Amino acid sequence: MVAMLNPTGLLKPWQRLRWFMSNAHSGYEKITLAEGDALVIVDLQNDFLPGGRLAVPDGEQVIPVLNGYIERFINQGLPIFATRDWHPKNHSSFIEQGGPWPEHCVAGTRGAEFSAELHLPASVRIISAGSEVERDGYSAFETPLCKQQLDSAGARRLFIGGLATDYCVLNTVRDALAFDYEVFLLTDAVRAINVQPRDGQKAIDEMVQKGAKPITLSMIL
Ligand code: VGL
Ligand code: ZN
């Protein structure tokens, strides 16, 4: 068949669309960073890393990947935000207060500091969450300052990664989508706590279903 010899004629339009979609999240699609883009790094704090009070399994693996994203955003002169879990000593989420978690990320402690291996620039804009005793603070948007800071930086597309997929990343992405930001989920730079084994995968599925676009570092030009 003659059509078989012509690669562009090989696939019917709907087959071509399906082929494109099946490759869209596997390094085929490329993204050019532009004005209006902002990197949002969620909770890369010592307590969520090996040796920390609430270590996320394999959490340290996101650090070199996030450093790659940081480099690209710095090179393009784009803003970088870092959220931090920043609890009072008597936070309601702590086991001592009847909550689900060991004490972690108490404001001002070493455990609450950003990882020293993360190459945050001096210009990083820090957003603290979870400072109210009775509120989870899983989403950085719980503090109105978060949206204010993003808006004053002109951010429209948010590139979100960090820890943990099934808590702070999930809730921050949910709110970002609800506020109508375009959200790119950095799937190579998130890790889950997985209280239940599939929590992380379920969180990714929900974020993508709600409109977050899953990407990896190699897709950024
Ligand atoms: C987080 C559990 C408790 C998170 C914060 O950053 O995902 N998880 N506090
Ligand atoms: Zn917390």
Side-chain angles (χ1 to χ4, degrees):
M1 259 201 320
V2 173
M4 293 293 281
L5 301 172
N6 174 4
T8 58
L10 215 57
L11 301 175
K12 299 268 194 289
W14 60 89
Q15 291 173 319
R16 217 173 318 171
L17 179 64
R18 199 161 56 199
W19 178 84
F20 175 78
M21 294 302 285
S22 67
N23 284 279
H25 306 314
S26 56
Y28 174 73
E29 205 176 45
K30 295 287 179 187
I31 293 158
T32 304
L33 295 178
E35 204 187 315
D37 292 348
L39 179 61
V40 178
I41 298 174
V42 176
D43 294 2
L44 253 288
Q45 295 162 277
N46 293 324
D47 270 342
F48 294 123
L49 294 164
R53 302 292 302 274
L54 181 44
V56 178
D58 299 327
E60 75 284 1
Q61 293 176 4
V62 304
I63 294 175
V65 186
L66 286 170
N67 284 338
Y69 285 105
I70 289 170
E71 189 185 317
R72 282 162 178 73
F73 275 73
I74 290 176
N75 286 344
Q76 300 300 318
L78 294 168
I80 297 172
F81 292 81
T83 75
R84 62 184 181 187
D85 209 25
W86 199 246
H87 295 312
K89 177 100 179 130
N90 62 341
H91 193 253
S92 57
S93 78
F94 297 166
I95 290 166
E96 295 83 346
Q97 315 297 326
W101 308 115
E103 186 181 299
H104 65 277
C105 297
V106 172
T109 63
R110 205 191 106 67
E113 285 173 20
F114 293 118
S115 166
E117 273 132 73
L118 189 67
H119 299 162
L120 291 174
S123 59
V124 66
R125 298 153 215 228
I126 296 170
I127 298 166
S128 302
S131 303
E132 290 176 56
V133 173
E134 295 299 336
R135 298 185 72 185
D136 284 331
Y138 290 146
S139 167
F141 287 96
E142 275 189 25
T143 160
L145 266 176
C146 178
K147 186 162 189 305
Q148 284 166 26
Q149 287 207 63
L150 288 166
D151 289 349
S152 68
R156 291 181 300 275
R157 301 201 303 182
L158 306 183
F159 292 70
I160 304 179
L163 304 173
T165 315
D166 35 1
Y167 291 92
C168 286
V169 172
L170 171 63
N171 285 280
T172 299
V173 167
R174 277 179 182 154
D175 284 349
L177 290 168
F179 277 127
D180 265 343
Y181 293 98
E182 187 173 351
V183 174
F184 293 88
L185 176 66
L186 315 181
T187 57
D188 50 352
V190 294
R191 290 296 184 279
I193 296 177
N194 284 330
V195 172
Q196 301 296 325
R198 286 186 37 81
D199 284 355
Q201 189 54 53
K202 281 186 351 204
I204 290 177
D205 292 346
E206 180 190 324
M207 291 185 273
V208 171
Q209 185 268 324
K210 288 198 157 110
K213 299 178 177 75
I215 65 160
T216 56
L217 182 59
S218 63
M219 292 164 70
I220 295 190
L221 289 171

